[in-house]
Amino acid sequence: MDDTAEKRIQELEQGLQAAREELQFFVYAAGHDLQQSLRAVTTHAQLLRRECPDSERAREITDVIVAGAAQMNTLVTALVAYSRLTGAPDRRYVPLSVPLDYALYKLSGAIRDAGAEVHKAELPETAADENQMATVFEHLISNSLKFRGTKPPRVEISSEASDDFHAISVRDNGCGIRPEYHEQVFLPFKRLHGREIPGTGLGLALCRKIVRAHEGRIWVESDGSSGTTVRFTLPQ
């Protein structure tokens, strides 16, 4: 490669990085302003409720406003987190049981409320960003709790190793994902269920972004009725 071509590639890479940073700043700033506005909406709705304590109609309206503002705040927070996930992860050798335990701690209330059983096998040590891996486990286990079937949720976390990578599995006994949606579920804002199940549609997209940044891949295995297994790989 001659010097002119190499210089052009460097200029393109610098321009791409600058564009990423600009987009990240824009989303962060817009998210901050939106969250301030949502707090104001929530506060005034709660004030209205206190001003009209005997009005059933006022209570119904303010409940809708507060719930909508909370849902929008969750979406904005997820968008900011997604946009800020740029560049190389801070990879250090860590037992994956550490970020898994942190995710389980954060989800302990939801696990208890769902009456779920979570079983974890011994996980390997590998070079990974501990916080990002905790995010992956949190989203995958949270999905297992939300998209459950008629039986109490059961989640199993395990791993397998090959010469080149570790494969981590999160298996559940939930409602499953039909094969034609196995790839679509990783698209941002792709939701297979209605608003009756809370969520932003960004969880699996964020997981894929993190796993790819770790030079791995992530995929779904399910027949659409007998639970779901999400697997992802990390280099040895």
Side-chain angles (χ1 to χ4, degrees):
M1 182 184 297
D2 59 38
D3 292 342
T4 302
E6 186 173 353
K7 182 179 179 180
R8 180 55 178 161
I9 290 174
Q10 290 176 349
E11 290 174 348
L12 290 171
E13 289 176 345
Q14 291 170 357
L16 180 59
Q17 180 61 29
R20 286 174 177 166
E21 292 174 357
E22 183 178 356
L23 178 60
Q24 179 181 345
F25 176 79
F26 171 79
V27 174
Y28 178 79
H32 180 267
D33 290 346
L34 282 170
Q35 286 173 323
Q36 282 189 322
S37 299
L38 290 168
R39 281 194 291 269
V41 169
T42 301
T43 298
H44 284 79
Q46 292 169 338
L47 286 173
L48 177 60
R49 182 184 298 174
R50 286 198 289 269
E51 289 289 329
C52 308
D54 300 324
S55 173
E56 183 65 30
R57 181 60 176 161
R59 189 177 299 110
E60 291 174 357
I61 293 172
T62 53
D63 283 348
V64 173
I65 293 172
V66 170
Q71 183 178 3
M72 180 61 71
N73 185 68
T74 299
L75 177 58
V76 170
T77 301
L79 274 172
V80 171
Y82 186 82
S83 71
R84 297 188 74 176
L85 192 64
T86 59
D90 182 15
R91 297 169 70 171
R92 303 176 185 181
Y93 273 92
V94 59
L96 289 177
S97 58
V98 173
L100 171 59
D101 286 343
Y102 180 63
L104 291 173
Y105 171 76
K106 290 185 68 178
L107 292 169
S108 57
I111 292 170
R112 182 179 60 252
D113 293 344
E117 295 182 16
V118 179
H119 300 268
K120 54 179 184 176
E122 184 176 351
L123 298 183
E125 179 176 312
T126 190
D129 186 307
E130 186 175 326
N131 291 328
Q132 291 185 8
M133 283 298 108
T135 297
V136 171
F137 282 123
E138 183 180 353
H139 281 295
L140 297 183
I141 297 169
S142 177
N143 280 351
S144 294
L145 301 179
K146 288 190 294 186
F147 303 108
R148 56 182 181 264
T150 56
K151 299 179 181 179
R154 178 183 175 89
V155 186
E156 301 175 2
I157 300 103
S158 60
S159 70
E160 298 176 6
S162 72
D163 293 336
D164 302 318
F165 59 84
H166 300 289
I168 314 301
S169 300
V170 178
R171 184 194 310 271
D172 65 46
N173 64 340
C175 56
I177 300 173
R178 284 159 50 186
E180 61 264 34
Y181 296 121
H182 285 186
E183 188 61 30
Q184 292 185 39
V185 294
F186 292 103
L187 299 176
F189 304 114
K190 182 63 179 178
R191 295 170 58 91
L192 302 184
H193 300 270
R195 295 295 178 183
E196 68 275 7
I197 298 180
T200 62
L202 281 171
L204 285 177
L206 185 61
C207 290
R208 182 168 67 174
K209 196 171 184 181
I210 290 172
V211 170
R212 283 180 171 176
H214 282 76
E215 302 172 70
R217 66 186 189 96
I218 185 169
W219 69 96
V220 166
E221 296 176 0
S222 175
D223 62 6
S225 61
S226 309
T228 299
T229 301
V230 179
R231 301 188 194 277
F232 64 92
T233 61
L234 297 172
Q236 287 267 25

